Amino acid sequence: MLTLKDYDRFCLADPVFYEVPERYPDDHERFAAARREPPRGWQRGESGWWITLRPGPAAPGAGWRIHVSVALPELARAVEIVWGHCVAHALPFDFVRSRATARELCGHRAEPLPGNRLITVHAGDGATLTRSLEELGVLLAGLPGAYVAGALRHGPGPLYVSHGPPGPEGLPRPGDRTVFAPPGGVPLPEPLRADLEALRARPAGGFPYRAERALGRSHGGGTYLAVDKRTGERVVLREARPYAGLDERGEDAVTRLDRERAARERLVGLDCVPRVLGHLTHAEHRFLAEEFIEGTSLLRAAADAFPLTSRERAAREAAPYTAWALDVVDRTERALHALYAHGLRLGELRPENIVVRPDGRVALVGLGTLTDAGDDRAPATGDPGFAAPPGLTAPDALRHLLDRLRLWLFLPVPHRGPGKLHTLTAAIERHYPVPRGFGAGLLTGLWPEGHPAEDDRAGALLAADRPDWPAIRDSLVRGIHATATPDRADRLFPGGPTGTGELGGPGLAHGAAGVLYALHRTGARVPEEYTAWLLDAVRRDPEPAPGLHEGLHGVAFVLDALGLRAEALDVLGLCPPERDAVPDAGLAAGRAGIALTLLHFAGATGDPALLTRALGLAGELGRAVEDGPPPAPPGRPAPYGLLHGATGAALLFLRLYEHTGDASLLGLAGRALRHDLVRLRTLPDGMLTLFDGTANLPYLHGGSTGLAFVLRDLLRYRPDPRLAAVLTSLRLTCDAVYVRNAGLLRGRAGSVAVLAALGEPVTGTALGGQIRRLSWYAQAYRGHLAFPGFRMLRLSADLATGAAGVLLALGSAFGATGPVLPFLDPRPVAVPPAREGGERRVGDPGAAGAGGGDPRPVAV
């Protein structure tokens, strides 16, 4: 699962769309060595942010590697030194291509394990390692640099050593240790013996604190709840590592912590900030101990009290929440004025850095952006969504921070551009009993000075009492076309990231196929160059994956829907029968989705071999359903819900029943559905969610509302009042007032799609309200309607998270365009079901798919 830091990586290269980090605009900071032609006979390559040099065509194998970590001012010099050494000894090596990308690799948002590995020499055997350590140790002696996690420090640095099969550019592979361990079965070279002893030795001098747990970690250090061993007092311990955690100005974590400590010496006696209890340097790391403040972070307190989770809760709790939130802001304002009275200001004010004490008082923690009141620069670290822009005086910056906090407390929807403030402030005044003029005050405080007034034209299309569907559809379609990049080989449309290094591609969920599917289903033109791009992308892929949402089966289905039957069958042919047996059982990338695609093409072509394959997969899934829910893959959570869980198998059994009339398949569908139904939880506000082991999820993707499509169809063939009650609860769950994201699979568009599928009219309260609330997220791109992807950081056009999914959801609500995802629409039953009591059953679904009858799987 992608983390917040993974999403940060995809926000570096483009201010509008998620983009692969390789396209980071660093030409002005490229090292001379990065532009240099390789020596004769050498192979030069670029991979990600690294330049790779190889003395021949062979890639380096497993063996010893030397990582060079130096501070930014010395990096260009170090690259030249390593270049000369490696060329002289014919050693493959890699180096980061620019100062800018090096700053990101060592930045405060970087991951600790891969960070600081700025140059890597692939030494191979122990003898070569020994020679290179000796020579580079002399040539690079005295250059400072950050510690390299997972590697063994050689001498005082800046050389670090690791061993193993190389990841890309010498970076660690998933599962690598954060602390160096000698490789098994490989002799440790003599120069490393003293280094290993130094690693295992206790640092000189005792450490007076005992950490209990980590409150947060970053590349530049960590924050820990600790105990002072001398007094027994509980403290918060903040750590800063030298040359690591660089900010936008190139300053490291130690520099920032020292500056903060100096500033906080001016705040002695204030009860709105933690007292500084001590500071020290230990094992080259800087530590600051501060008072532990009893209380709850505003982030947690507001999440617990937030009333817009359901319409009923909003009506009941909006008034007391408003009073509480305004009181918290007033108390926070007094704390900020106290800082200003001492000549200081904060650059950002994040909710997690405001602690609400048991008696209601607030304290400000996480004071890393504390600076002199006259410093009007934007903070070099932190979240832009909670930061003051540059150029504001301290009083104006204080008001700006408070207005951002007010907006977040009442409607935490990230927005891009001031025009959206009109829509968001109007929504706040509609849902909360805020004081008169509250929205106008926010507009005045947050609107950039000198910025011309503008309306939220994109939001207005959706916020109207009677939305104009043709106008919405046409604007969305034009917006999608405006984002197309058929000249790029890696993506046709901008989408959301699907892995730590993956974006776009041909797939249905996050790639080109899904966008073409949405355009086609809503009656829009699909240019021939788009389908040509899709086919070329499939043919270029050396290892195309099977699967409906994430592989070739989805591409084949979309091509067939576009009328390209021959091309579709060619793509399907790239997945021969031996590739059907994927380990995943689900709809997105597993056997259920593959079987549904094969069933579709069997019906479309009359090919009995395709039907046989589909029935074979169904038989496997039927036997698995009898054994229990799908197991968790190694190192990943157990799969649940429509796309990854047993509900996808239930959908397959329903469609097979419609194809064959074999009523025993209904029993299988019920039992498969039960594996997800038993994980449903009813929350205090009445929302019905699916608990995945860590969180209560309502979404179509892997949450409760995705079950609605299968429940609806199962009830069509086997009415059951208890299952009907579950479906009613899911309908109410889709009426949530606040949903953080806009998208189809994990956002508000999914609620629109489910309500439309359940027959809710557009003029109805629930569906109409959800459509109007899509205006909270709507953006304009080149004058056309667009939507942000998951986490709301950049625009996306894909089906899963972006504009294509919103287009399909709205199409299903307004235009009766059918299901938002393939195979969600019920089909006429081909063979009438056998009379009650006369069919051979596999099981009876009961209230939650509880079994009964013949336990054997259906004969397929």
Side-chain angles (χ1 to χ4, degrees):
M1 181 177 294
L2 291 171
T3 66
L4 280 170
K5 289 183 177 180
D6 291 324
Y7 277 86
D8 286 341
R9 294 179 65 248
F10 287 94
C11 295
L12 294 172
D14 193 300
V16 179
F17 302 112
Y18 289 113
E19 185 57 274
V20 289
E22 290 90 320
R23 299 174 77 93
Y24 187 84
D26 62 345
D27 284 351
H28 61 295
E29 293 192 73
R30 293 277 179 110
F31 296 129
R35 305 178 188 276
R36 185 179 303 145
E37 289 296 318
R40 179 173 297 180
W42 282 64
Q43 308 293 317
R44 180 191 182 277
E46 293 197 30
S47 179
W49 287 346
W50 282 266
I51 306 297
T52 64
L53 273 296
R54 306 289 182 256
W64 292 102
R65 293 168 291 179
I66 301 172
H67 308 286
V68 182
S69 173
V70 297
L72 291 189
E74 304 294 343
L75 184 54
R77 174 187 167 197
V79 168
E80 296 294 343
I81 290 171
V82 172
W83 178 297
H85 172 82
C86 290
V87 169
H89 296 289
L91 293 177
F93 67 104
D94 319 311
F95 60 92
V96 69
R97 72 193 189 192
S98 69
R99 181 185 173 97
T101 50
R103 185 170 58 246
E104 295 296 340
L105 281 169
C106 300
H108 62 102
R109 289 194 177 95
E111 291 290 346
L113 191 57
N116 308 327
R117 300 178 184 224
L118 305 179
I119 309 171
T120 296
V121 178
H122 299 275
D125 57 55
T128 303
L129 175 74
T130 299
R131 180 188 63 201
S132 291
L133 287 175
E134 181 179 354
E135 293 188 14
L136 290 175
V138 173
L139 295 171
L140 299 170
L143 297 186
Y147 187 86
V148 176
L152 178 64
R153 185 178 188 176
H154 178 61
L159 304 180
Y160 295 79
V161 175
S162 65
H163 186 281
E169 298 73 58
L171 291 180
R173 296 159 293 116
D176 276 3
R177 296 166 56 98
T178 57
V179 177
F180 174 82
V186 178
L188 191 71
E190 184 62 34
L192 300 184
R193 296 188 183 279
D195 301 322
L196 186 59
E197 291 178 5
L199 176 67
R200 292 170 172 172
R202 285 182 175 272
F207 191 62
Y209 302 99
R210 182 181 68 253
E212 293 185 336
R213 62 185 174 93
L215 301 176
R217 285 193 174 97
S218 71
H219 185 260
T223 303
Y224 310 93
L225 186 61
V227 172
D228 189 327
K229 293 187 288 189
R230 298 162 297 187
T231 66
E233 182 181 7
R234 216 176 199 188
V235 302
V236 171
L237 195 63
R238 297 175 55 199
E239 171 199 27
R241 300 169 185 169
Y243 309 108
L246 303 182
D247 60 25
E248 295 174 3
R249 301 179 191 133
E251 293 182 337
D252 69 357
V254 169
T255 301
R256 292 194 302 274
L257 189 63
D258 286 346
R259 182 168 57 241
E260 178 192 339
R261 179 172 62 84
R264 290 176 65 175
E265 290 176 353
R266 298 156 63 178
L267 301 178
V268 174
L270 288 184
D271 68 350
C272 61
V273 295
R275 290 178 291 115
V276 174
L277 303 175
H279 61 90
L280 74 157
T281 299
H282 183 75
E284 301 181 11
H285 294 194
R286 192 87 84 242
F287 291 92
L288 178 71
E290 63 183 32
E291 174 191 9
F292 171 69
I293 301 290
E294 292 283 356
T296 305
S297 76
L298 182 59
L299 181 69
R300 176 64 182 271
D304 291 343
F306 191 67
L308 299 191
T309 57
S310 68
R311 199 187 319 170
E312 292 75 12
R313 187 180 175 194
R316 184 176 65 250
E317 299 179 23
Y321 178 84
T322 299
W324 172 80
L326 293 176
D327 179 64
V328 168
V329 174
D330 287 344
R331 293 173 184 268
T332 304
E333 182 174 12
R334 290 196 289 272
L336 292 178
H337 276 295
L339 299 185
Y340 180 52
H342 287 71
L344 297 171
R345 66 193 284 180
L346 278 177
E348 70 164 5
L349 184 65
R350 290 188 292 173
E352 58 264 43
N353 289 337
I354 301 173
V355 176
V356 182
R357 300 177 189 259
D359 61 3
R361 292 179 300 144
V362 302
L364 306 176
V365 300
L367 301 171
T369 61
L370 190 66
T371 186
D372 188 84
D375 186 353
D376 65 353
R377 297 176 297 174
T381 63
D383 186 340
F386 296 101
L392 295 184
T393 64
D396 289 341
L398 186 153
R399 176 179 176 177
H400 186 92
L401 294 178
L402 290 168
D403 282 336
R404 282 188 177 271
L405 183 64
R406 291 183 180 100
L407 181 64
W408 177 86
L409 276 166
F410 289 105
L411 199 61
V413 176
H415 64 281
R416 296 171 60 85
K420 182 58 62 183
L421 291 172
H422 285 291
T423 297
L424 298 181
T425 55
I428 290 172
E429 293 186 324
R430 185 164 54 252
H431 290 289
Y432 297 96
V434 291
R436 184 184 298 273
F438 182 85
L442 286 182
L443 285 172
T444 301
L446 294 177
W447 201 279
E449 185 177 355
H451 196 286
E454 60 182 53
D455 294 327
D456 182 13
R457 296 179 182 177
L461 280 172
L462 293 150
D465 290 336
R466 293 181 177 274
D468 183 346
W469 164 236
I472 294 170
R473 179 194 58 213
D474 292 349
S475 186
L476 266 172
V477 168
R478 286 194 293 268
I480 290 172
H481 284 309
T483 67
T485 53
D487 56 311
R488 287 182 55 167
D490 60 331
R491 78 170 195 204
L492 178 56
F493 299 98
T498 57
T500 55
E502 300 167 11
L503 189 69
L508 180 71
H510 295 275
V515 181
L516 303 194
Y517 177 73
L519 293 173
H520 173 71
R521 291 303 297 257
T522 52
R525 181 178 66 92
V526 177
E528 185 177 340
E529 66 175 337
Y530 292 178
T531 54
W533 187 98
L534 182 59
L535 285 166
D536 287 344
V538 170
R539 292 163 182 159
R540 283 193 305 267
D541 191 344
E543 298 181 0
L548 176 58
H549 284 242
E550 302 172 11
L552 291 180
H553 290 81
V555 175
F557 176 84
V558 170
L559 289 170
D560 192 57
L562 294 172
L564 302 173
R565 174 67 54 79
E567 291 85 347
L569 291 174
D570 287 344
V571 172
L572 193 66
L574 297 175
C575 289
E578 57 268 22
R579 301 199 66 191
D580 293 349
V582 296
D584 194 313
L587 190 64
R591 284 168 284 170
I594 292 172
L596 282 164
T597 309
L598 295 173
L599 182 64
H600 162 79
F601 279 102
T605 65
D607 186 343
L610 295 176
L611 180 60
T612 298
R613 288 168 61 184
L615 294 176
L617 287 171
E620 294 175 10
L621 290 173
R623 290 186 287 274
V625 161
E626 300 291 353
D627 293 338
R636 297 176 59 187
Y640 304 116
L642 176 65
L643 293 192
H644 302 288
T647 300
L651 180 68
L652 168 63
F653 299 140
L654 285 173
R655 298 297 167 254
L656 275 173
Y657 164 69
E658 293 162 351
H659 189 84
T660 66
D662 183 346
S664 67
L665 289 159
L666 295 178
L668 272 178
R671 282 194 293 283
L673 188 60
R674 178 190 62 182
H675 294 313
D676 283 336
L677 287 172
V678 297
R679 291 196 165 271
L680 295 181
R681 302 286 187 270
T682 301
L683 302 184
D685 60 3
M687 308 295 280
L688 189 63
T689 62
L690 190 151
F691 183 67
D692 71 347
T694 59
N696 290 294
L697 304 176
Y699 304 122
L700 191 156
H701 175 272
S704 59
T705 56
L707 278 59
F709 297 94
V710 179
L711 268 173
R712 174 202 62 184
D713 295 348
L714 184 60
L715 286 166
R716 180 184 181 207
Y717 303 122
R718 285 192 172 176
D720 184 292
R722 289 168 294 182
L723 289 181
V726 173
L727 194 59
T728 298
S729 295
L730 291 177
R731 186 191 297 264
L732 293 175
T733 300
C734 289
D735 195 18
V737 179
Y738 173 75
V739 181
R740 178 175 171 82
N741 291 282
L744 178 64
L745 295 190
R746 286 188 280 185
R748 193 179 296 277
S751 296
V752 170
V754 173
L755 290 170
L758 297 181
E760 182 87 9
V762 173
T763 54
T765 302
L767 182 54
Q770 294 295 38
I771 291 171
R772 285 191 294 274
R773 292 181 200 119
L774 279 170
S775 64
W776 296 359
Y777 323 92
Q779 303 289 338
Y781 178 69
R782 295 184 179 176
H784 310 305
L785 196 56
F787 280 87
F790 190 60
R791 299 200 188 277
M792 303 285 291
L793 300 172
R794 295 291 187 270
L795 297 183
S796 168
D798 68 22
L799 178 66
T801 72
V806 175
L807 175 64
L808 265 181
L810 291 173
S812 69
F814 285 109
T817 54
V820 290
L821 298 174
F823 310 121
L824 293 187
D825 51 334
R827 307 296 175 89
V829 180
V831 180
R835 290 178 299 172
E836 187 70 23
E839 74 254 28
R840 181 179 65 76
R841 296 190 184 186
V842 177
D844 191 295
D854 188 348
R856 293 171 297 170
V858 65
V860 291

